[in-house]
Amino acid sequence: MTEQTTGTETVASEAVRRARDAVARQAWAEAYRLLSGSPAALTPDDFAAWADAAWWTSRIEESIVARTKAYAGYVATHNGRRAGHCAWMLFYEHQLAGRTALAAGWLRRARRHLSTEPECVEQCYLVWMEAEAAAARGAFDEALTVARRMQDIARRCGSPDLHAMSLQTQAGVLLDQGRVAEGLDLLDDALCPAMAGELSAFFTGWIYCLGLQRCMACADLERAAEWTDAAMRWCAAMPAENNFRGLCRVHRVEVLELRGLWPRALEEAVRTCEELLPYERGAAAEAFCLIGDIQRRRGEPAAAETAYRRAHELGRDPQPGLALLRLAQGRAEASVTGLRLALAAEGDGGDRLARCRLLAAQAEISLALDRVEEARTAARELEALAADWRQRRRSATTPLDAAAASASGAVAFAEHDVERALPLLRRALSLWLALDMPYEEAQVRMTLAAAHRTAGDDEGARMELRAARGVFDRLGAVPDARRAAALLAGLGAREPGALTEREVEVLRLVAAGRTNRVIAADLVISEHTVARHLNNIFAKLDVSSRAAATAYAFRHGLA
């Protein structure tokens, strides 16, 4: 019996030794398998390693259980620093899981353990939370002072990880304060050591993730693209079990979608959902929204509907994409209501790029439904948002400026002020081109073509339509490509989509909100003839509803 027990202990000890070696090599799947299957008595450090291995392999609940055991072991051995660090990590994991009460309790424990210790690197975590709390209540000067204290502690204690995180924290405070140029410079300073391989794997992923979120929130697509590429190179070099891979990929999908690389974006988005669904539902929901946006633009409404529904199930409001889908489906009121509620929920203090998208969609939908005043209000808010951002960032090449110019130009055109519309639309086009956002570029070309036609410049209209059709064809935006081709085909007769004069008359009356009976009376034809004209119009314009035909009429200056 003694020999059997000794043999078992030897095997268990060998498993733990191999597990520790796997942890040192960051072979997390191997470490998890060995530690979770070991019958040996594990040390607090082994439980902490088990927690890390579980986290890296997307077993978040097991990570919390193992880390709680590590915490208990450190408390039993009176290791205040390690107990405090474990308590802070438990705060972080519970916070990510949305358990705010549990998170707050563990943060208080971390403070109790670390407050009596001499200065140590673990105290950086507590100072970090002080800075975040100060920034959250708008005390930005205090937040910066506290974040710089975190930087000093990290430097004195020799922690590159927490020194980089202190720079990231200061950058966030500056950005929240509106000091955008300074904040972005400091953000680069925080990301550089991650790219240079100077940080631990956990902090490298953490720094990339937070930094990319900041870049996208700042609408700095060029910076986001560069750092996303760096983050994905790091992910590719890491072991397959890498929780940050999916989080970084979400931002990569955003950049690819905006750059018009839709097949790659869809492929990456599907992989992102597979990687994130087990543990990071919010980021997976964002990926589903991006999938829906691409499918909607490619003319796949059923697939887009499914993607938006999945995003909603995971907690993400699928606007403005869903509102634009509803407009294309002829469900005008659903389109307007959903967008209005999304704008009210977003407020004016959140993600600027997200609000920009909502406002741009509101302007587009309002114009399609002949609600020019609502479109004008959205365009004005976009202009104010862009002007404020331009002043803070000292740059005019942002999606906010481009969206504001596009919306203002479209509103001016709807108000029959072509002289004001043309320079606004040309400026929008130059900005979209500078930003390398081809779908938006092609969309504004369509409005610009309509403005050229109204001004009597058929040649200018033809050039814009050809350029737009080329972009739509390359992107795979089938409905838009068909509309551009129809406009080109009928340009000589000045009837878009080769509509007859009578069909143009009917379309204008539909866009004015007339019923078939009223249209028949106005044109002195039968209701049956009106219905036949409508069927022809729907077929030629590749639309399926009166609302979509109305949107087309307003977009091309026929209403």
Side-chain angles (χ1 to χ4, degrees), residues 181-483:
E182 297 172 75
L184 289 173
D185 286 345
L186 204 55
L187 190 66
D188 291 339
D189 291 343
L191 286 162
C192 276
M195 186 182 71
E198 298 169 3
L199 309 181
S200 69
F202 182 73
F203 273 86
T204 296
W206 209 353
I207 292 286
Y208 272 135
C209 186
L210 294 175
L212 290 171
Q213 288 176 13
R214 288 288 188 180
C215 288
M216 293 304 296
C218 288
D220 194 327
L221 302 183
E222 184 177 354
R223 185 180 255 101
E226 292 178 13
W227 285 119
T228 299
D229 287 343
M232 291 309 297
R233 285 194 297 271
W234 172 74
C235 285
M238 286 288 291
E241 59 276 5
N242 177 3
N243 266 355
F244 289 112
R245 190 185 305 272
L247 295 170
C248 291
R249 204 185 302 279
V250 169
H251 302 298
R252 182 173 179 80
V253 172
E254 288 182 287
V255 172
L256 290 172
E257 186 266 334
L258 292 171
R259 292 285 186 260
L261 302 172
W262 292 352
R264 285 177 57 193
L266 278 175
E267 180 183 344
E268 294 276 353
V270 170
R271 292 177 63 190
T272 299
C273 294
E274 292 172 353
E275 291 169 352
L276 293 179
L277 272 176
Y279 72 100
E280 187 53 71
R281 294 163 64 88
E286 190 65 38
F288 275 114
C289 259
L290 291 165
I291 291 171
D293 288 343
I294 294 171
Q295 291 168 329
R296 170 176 56 81
R297 290 172 171 176
R298 296 202 323 185
E300 302 167 3
E305 180 102 32
T306 300
Y308 289 143
R309 187 183 303 116
R310 192 74 180 98
H312 180 265
E313 290 169 356
L314 294 170
R316 168 46 160 101
D317 185 0
Q319 299 292 5
L322 184 59
L324 292 167
L325 179 63
R326 293 288 178 255
L327 179 67
Q329 294 170 330
R331 298 171 59 181
E333 286 308 314
S335 173
V336 171
T337 301
L339 197 55
R340 184 179 66 247
L341 293 174
L343 277 163
E346 175 70 20
D348 58 5
D351 185 331
R352 289 172 182 268
L353 190 56
R355 186 159 186 84
C356 168
R357 288 169 174 156
L358 291 170
L359 289 168
Q362 185 181 46
E364 179 180 345
I365 291 169
S366 297
L367 288 175
L369 301 175
D370 197 22
R371 301 181 181 187
V372 179
E373 185 58 39
E374 290 181 13
R376 189 184 302 114
T377 300
R380 285 174 178 168
E381 185 178 343
L382 273 171
E383 288 173 348
L385 196 64
D388 176 64
W389 194 247
R390 187 163 56 248
Q391 181 180 7
R392 295 182 181 193
R393 193 183 167 208
R394 305 185 185 96
S395 169
T397 310
T398 72
L400 278 70
D401 289 280
S406 296
S408 297
V411 169
F413 180 64
E415 294 171 332
H416 312 292
D417 190 348
V418 178
E419 289 186 5
R420 187 166 65 91
L422 281 169
L424 284 167
L425 293 170
R426 290 188 186 113
R427 179 170 182 268
L429 177 58
S430 67
L431 289 171
W432 291 127
L433 286 167
L435 290 163
D436 191 19
M437 295 175 65
Y439 183 78
E440 288 74 12
E441 167 213 329
Q443 286 285 78
V444 83
R445 283 189 188 278
M446 296 288 282
T447 310
L448 194 51
H452 276 298
R453 290 191 66 187
T454 300
D457 180 10
D458 282 2
E459 181 60 27
R462 191 175 293 109
M463 292 175 68
E464 296 298 349
L465 287 170
R466 284 173 179 160
R469 184 180 64 177
V471 173
F472 289 140
D473 283 337
R474 175 167 55 82
L475 293 175
V478 175
D480 292 298
R482 286 176 179 167
R483 283 190 283 274

